[in-house]
């Protein structure tokens, strides 16, 4: 099995499995204008770099500490991270076998004099000097330490102590209490030898690095939050804790700067602090002013805002989660042109605003799209999508994205060397708000294609005319909602629980929390139509049951205008309106099967009527009538049942011990004689049969359509199979009218077989294999010449997969043939099963079918077909990660996805042929003449030259190998681009 994580050291692999779970909690942001790379750090110590679409790298610190700051060294491929344990780490991008890797090359912790308190060396501010040679580290104690990089050598003679600064400030300011910590360090853009030191109490000092002295003081009266030095070097902006910002003139020879302007943007009432302020010039007109925070504390203290002011335009961008940091991208290779895009990292998403288009629209992100804009409730993967369906889905999605900016993605660093995906894959995610999102899962990044909303079919509390992006005329502050993260659902009953898409016919069925099943068809035009509901009474008139859960959703009776895309035309409403637990679609037969905790049904969506309704509810199972919102009593009942099972087990063990005590000696003697003559079988655990009184025994876990032999071995017929939580399997024979009479004659279903597993273990999956032992093809797959017809000459076999074992039965007699025990061997239980085709990595024409299995221990297994033998076993997900195991979905080619956090999917592969992983190259940027003219320390110059030489040597070596082999490669075709520092176009995957 190959896992796709990028990191600096191979020994980190085991720890990455645990720590990447929290990559959804960002804590720091960095950007390199020369590399055009974005860096994000997390609370768990992970760091991830992003460039052009498809370009990404990942590293992990050994320390389990949050990343608090990230700083790229100007014009270099190195960056420095600061952790909350006060350690500094140096990272570099180094070429290896034609691709770049993110490697940690050094670490450093400030050490103070003996006996000094920890605050003396606790780093609070970092400045990566433009020379690329120095780091300036401001501390909690008010000192500034100067460190040479990349060797992390402290230059003690150049340190700036708090005592020296205190003696240089005016007497009227020195009488105040301590200057507090260093809040900010800023380099003079016009004179790199000058650095501004901002202290927490408000004092700012301009320090000359050559003269080792203070040349100017700025005496602010409010506690300092941030500092910005304008590009011309003539002014400094400071933001403060009272919600104000000040502009100071630092031109001239006066040692004390004068305040030009002080303003509280949002009134004279108490305001929250302005945590960061930026001012950027424009070629024509006034500058851009951007700041975060500053909202009136009483009225809007809970808002997360960034204010953008330019000329007469003033907008407060309102985000739905806490702001981590932001920066502005500018035009031109040296980032000295017009401001073009505002990049904002908030806790739940990355938002990019186009500052050059009227209205400042959002630019759609090609990566880091918030999967969890509404909580993910289920997922469904479809491989090898036909081109026509793919283009129709893209077209429908394009109509939904007209509010996005037309500008290309502004972060363009690195070269994406990944080959084009061999096929088009879709990942569909169902969400709590009743939406289904379609993602392009063909390449490295998940890219949003289309969003389907089912809320319009029902009456909800949401206002369809509500536009959160518009602010009321004259409203102050002038808020504008941005970002798509919205964790709140208008009605939890809308949540999507099951999805099934037929890629050949374009039919889609989705099922929800309140027992609703929608059947949809792809339409390229808008349509106004009413959706008629068909009720399926799963209780079948049984008395004594009263549903205590939520009510059903109210369907709109009037016609609804549906936009182009998937449009609902049929609706089934289960009664009671319980969560739909199983769903499958057969588009060739025009049938949909669905199941809940009370039973299952079969619906003909061509004639829009119920074909079959079967109640599977156990008369003693009152818990199934309570629903997901009424579970207080269920916990007590589950505990009682658990204790009863424990008591029964103990009584059984005591009786067993007494009965066997007298026979122990004879048994041992016989066993020793038998062991010499037989092959040892694996030690098996005793599995106690589950009681029929256990809760939810009637819950339907799986549904399966098959054209196979039920009545005799000479006539195959369509059939429906259903497996329950109590270990029961029901088979129904279906009679379909001829194609000519399909619209008039009814489909009928008749009971044919019923199987009860001995241990009553829940049935997870059902599969029928043809005469060759191959799984039956999908509906319409043979008709499209994408699979061979199943063998109907030999006998078919039924494979029933429970949580505990895999059992094969012959058809039509349903007699047990073979089985593979899982729980009895290692104690694990089956949680997810998929059928996959494993293609050979050596021969294009050879492959084998197998089962991909995920257990409750987080382990992956591959089971052979039709022999049902265990092939491979790999640990994948932490056993404690219950939600990750529950979210796993397998593909048809041996890969899989699972949620490592509420907002991020992990991709894995069990196939040697199907591998999707990032392959990226980042080149050393050409240094500016200014930086080249500066003297560099011998060690730094030597190190950087060797790094660049090794990078280019690796690229040249890879190209030479490709040319000698006679096989064209991306590197061969882009040789000139790779060696001259140009940018190659990315395909957006």
């Amino acid at each position: 099995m190959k896992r796709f994580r990028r990191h600096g050291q191979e020994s980190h692999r085991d720890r990455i499995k645990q720590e990447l779970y929290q990559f959804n909690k960002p804590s720091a942001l960095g950007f390199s204008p020369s590399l055009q790379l974005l860096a994000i750090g997390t609370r768990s110590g992970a760091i991830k770099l992003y460039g052009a679409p498809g370009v990404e790298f990942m590293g992990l610190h050994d320390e389990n500490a949050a990343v608090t700051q990230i700083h790229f060294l100007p014009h270099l491929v190195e960056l420095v991270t600061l952790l909350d344990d006060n350690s500094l780490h140096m990272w570099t991008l180094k070429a290896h076998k034609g691709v770049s890797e993110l490697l940690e090359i050094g670490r450093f912790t400030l050490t103070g004099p003996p006996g000094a308190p920890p605050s003396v060396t606790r780093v609070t501010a970092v400045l990566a000097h433009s020379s690329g040679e120095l780091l300036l580290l401001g501390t909690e104690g008010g000192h500034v330490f100067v460190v040479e990089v990349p060797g992390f050598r402290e230059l003690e003679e150049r340190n700036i102590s708090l005592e020296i600064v205190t003696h240089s400030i005016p007497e009227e300011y020195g009488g105040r209490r301590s200057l507090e910590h260093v809040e900010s360090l800023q380099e003079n853009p016009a004179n790199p030898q000058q650095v501004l030191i901002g202290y927490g109490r408000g004092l700012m000092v301009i320090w000359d690095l050559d003269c080792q002295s203070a040349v100017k003081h700025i005496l602010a009266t409010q506690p300092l939050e941030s500092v910005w030095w304008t590009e011309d070097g003539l002014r400094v902006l400071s933001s403060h804790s009272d919600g104000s910002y000040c502009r100071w003139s630092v031109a001239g020879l006066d040692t004390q700067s004068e305040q030009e302007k002080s303003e509280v943007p949002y009134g004279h009432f108490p305001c929250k602090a302005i945590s960061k302020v930026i001012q950027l010039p424009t070629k024509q007109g006034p500058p851009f002013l951007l700041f975060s925070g500053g909202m009136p504390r009483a009225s809007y203290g809970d808002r997360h805002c960034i204010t953008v002011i330019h000329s007469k335009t003033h907008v407060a961008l309102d985000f739905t989660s806490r702001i981590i940091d932001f920066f502005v991208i500018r035009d031109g290779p040296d980032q000295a042109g017009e401001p073009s895009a505002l990049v904002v990292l908030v806790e739940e998403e990355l938002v990019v605003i186009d500052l050059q288009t009227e209205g400042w629209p959002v630019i759609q992100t090609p990566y880091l799209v918030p999967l969890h804009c509404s909580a993910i409730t289920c997922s469904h993967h479809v491989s090898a999508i036909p081109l026509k369906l793919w283009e129709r889905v893209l077209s429908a999605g394009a109509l939904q994205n007209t509010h996005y900016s037309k500008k290309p993605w502004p972060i363009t660093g690195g070269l994406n060397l990944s080959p084009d995906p061999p096929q088009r894959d879709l990942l569909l995610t169902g969400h709590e708000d009743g939406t289904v999102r379609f993602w392009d899962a063909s390449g490295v990044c998940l890219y949003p294609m289309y969003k389907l909303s089912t809320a319009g079919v029902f009456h909800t509390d949401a206002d369809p005319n509500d536009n959160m992006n518009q602010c009321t005329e004259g409203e102050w502050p002038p808020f504008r909602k941005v970002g798509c993260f919205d964790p709140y659902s208008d009605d939890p009953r809308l949540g999507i629980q099951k999805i099934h898409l037929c890629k050949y016919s374009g039919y889609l069925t989705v099922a929800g929390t309140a027992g609703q099943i929608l059947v949809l068809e792809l339409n390229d035009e808008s349509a106004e139509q009413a959706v008629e509901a068909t009720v399926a009474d799963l209780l079948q008139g049984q008395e004594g049951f009263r549903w205590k859960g939520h009510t059903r959703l109210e369907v709109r009776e009037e016609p609804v205008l549906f936009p182009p895309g998937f449009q609902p035309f049929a609706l089934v409403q289960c009664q009671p309106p319980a969560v739909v637990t199983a769903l499958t679609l057969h588009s060739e037969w025009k049938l949909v099967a669905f199941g809940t905790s009370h039973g299952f049904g079969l619906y003909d969506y061509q004639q829009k009527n119920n074909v079959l309704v079967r109640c599977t509810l156990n008369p003693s199972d009152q818990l199934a009538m309570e629903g997901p919102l009424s579970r207080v009593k269920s916990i007590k009942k589950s505990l009682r049942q658990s204790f009863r099972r424990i008591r029964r087990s103990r009584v059984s063990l005591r009786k067993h011990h007494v009965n066997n005590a007298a026979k122990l000696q004879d048994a041992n003697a016989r066993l020793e004689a038998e062991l010499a003559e037989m092959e040892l079988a694996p030690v098996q655990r005793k599995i106690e049969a589950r009681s029929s009184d256990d809760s939810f025994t009637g819950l339907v876990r799986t549904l399966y359509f098959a054209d196979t032999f039920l009545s005799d071995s000479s006539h195959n017929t369509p059939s429906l199979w259903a497996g329950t939580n109590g270990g029961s399997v029901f088979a129904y024979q279906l009679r379909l009218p001829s194609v000519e009479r399909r619209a008039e004659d009814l489909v009928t279903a008749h009971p044919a077989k019923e199987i009860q597993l001995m241990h009553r273990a829940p049935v997870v999956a059902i599969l029928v294999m043809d005469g060759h032992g191959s799984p039956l093809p999908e509906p319409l797959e043979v008709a499209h010449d994408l699979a061979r017809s199943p063998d109907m000459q030999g006998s078919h076999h039924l494979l029933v997969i429970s949580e505990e074992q895999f059992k094969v039965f012959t058809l039509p007699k349903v007699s047990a043939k073979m089985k593979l025990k899982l729980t009895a061997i290692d104690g694990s239980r089956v949680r997810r099963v998929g059928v996959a085709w494993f293609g050979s990595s050596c021969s294009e024409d050879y492959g084998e079918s197998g089962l991909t299995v995920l257990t409750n221990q987080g382990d992956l297994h591959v089971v052979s077909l039709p022999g049902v033998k265990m092939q491979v076993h790999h640990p994948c997900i932490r056993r404690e990660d219950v939600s990750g195991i529950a979210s796993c979905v397998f593909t048809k080619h041996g890969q899989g996805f699972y949620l490592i956090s509420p907002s991020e999917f992990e991709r894995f592969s069990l196939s040697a042929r199907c591998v999707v992983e990032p392959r990226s190259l980042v080149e050393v940027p050409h240094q500016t003449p200014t930086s080249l003219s500066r003297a560099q320390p011998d060690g730094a110059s030597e190190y950087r030259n060797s790094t660049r030489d090794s990078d280019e040597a690796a690229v040249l070596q890879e190209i030479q190998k490709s040319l000698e082999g006679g096989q064209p490669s991306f590197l061969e075709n882009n040789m000139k681009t790779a060696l001259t520092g140009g940018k190659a176009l990315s395909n957006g995957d």
Side-chain angles (χ1 to χ4, degrees), residues 35 42 82 152 181 214 223 229 247 329 356 364 370 383 407 461 530 553 578 587 620 632 946 965:
L35 295 178
T42 72
L82 172 67
F152 280 130
H181 62 280
W229 208 324
R247 185 178 290 112
I329 298 177
Q356 294 184 341
Q364 189 170 16
S383 301
K407 288 192 65 175
D461 297 332
L553 286 163
S587 53
S620 63
V632 178
S946 65

Side-chain angles (χ1 to χ4, degrees), residues 422-459:
Q423 61 187 21
R424 294 170 292 273
D425 290 350
L426 271 180
L427 180 67
L428 283 70
T429 54
H431 297 264
E432 190 180 38
D433 61 355
T435 59
V436 178
R437 286 171 166 82
F438 290 62
W439 305 87
D440 178 359
S442 311
V444 173
C445 302
L446 287 180
Y447 188 78
M449 295 177 62
Y450 167 72
K451 182 179 79 170
L452 164 69
S453 177
T454 63
V457 180
F458 308 98
H459 287 287

Side-chain angles (χ1 to χ4, degrees), residues 319 381 431 760:
F319 300 87
H381 187 274
H431 297 264
R760 299 182 183 275

Side-chain angles (χ1 to χ4, degrees), residues 707-726:
D707 188 355
T708 186
F709 302 98
L710 277 181
S711 56
D712 57 69
S713 58
S714 57
H715 298 90
N716 58 293
T717 58
S719 61
L720 171 66
W721 301 76
T724 71
N725 220 35

Side-chain angles (χ1 to χ4, degrees), residues 72-93:
F72 283 89
L73 300 187
H75 307 290
L76 299 172
V77 291
E78 285 85 39
L79 64 151
V80 174
T81 56
L82 172 67
L83 307 188
D84 65 357
D85 65 355
N86 204 41
S87 62
L88 288 155
H89 301 257
M90 176 76 74
W91 299 80
T92 188
L93 287 165

Side-chain angles (χ1 to χ4, degrees), residues 903-915:
S903 62
E904 193 173 28
F905 273 107
E906 174 96 323
R907 185 176 200 149
F908 60 85
S909 179
L910 289 160
S911 171
R913 180 189 291 184
C914 296
V915 176

